[in-house]
Amino acid sequence: MDLLPALLEAAAESGQSVYFYGTTTEVLTAMVARARRELPTLRIAGVHSPPFRP
């Protein structure tokens, strides 16, 4: 997670899109909200929180 802010900033600056995969729906929701607040030009292609185990 130390590199994530720098990677997201670089993606926003270069116009690349990102896709968040993993963790819980609650964490993904918080990550997307923060990314949109701090990096409004970041293109978020999507998110997915797969089930951990059946």
Side-chain angles (χ1 to χ4, degrees):
M1 293 308 268
D2 293 336
L3 289 176
L4 187 59
L7 291 172
L8 293 178
E9 187 175 336
E13 289 174 1
S14 65
Q16 294 180 334
S17 61
V18 297
Y19 189 95
F20 295 107
Y21 180 88
T23 196
T24 65
T25 301
E26 293 80 14
V27 171
L28 283 176
T29 300
M31 288 174 63
V32 168
R34 181 175 175 180
R36 287 192 172 140
R37 183 176 64 248
E38 294 181 10
L39 300 165
T41 61
L42 179 66
R43 292 177 23 209
I44 299 174
V47 298
H48 181 63
S49 176
F52 181 65
R53 293 197 175 150

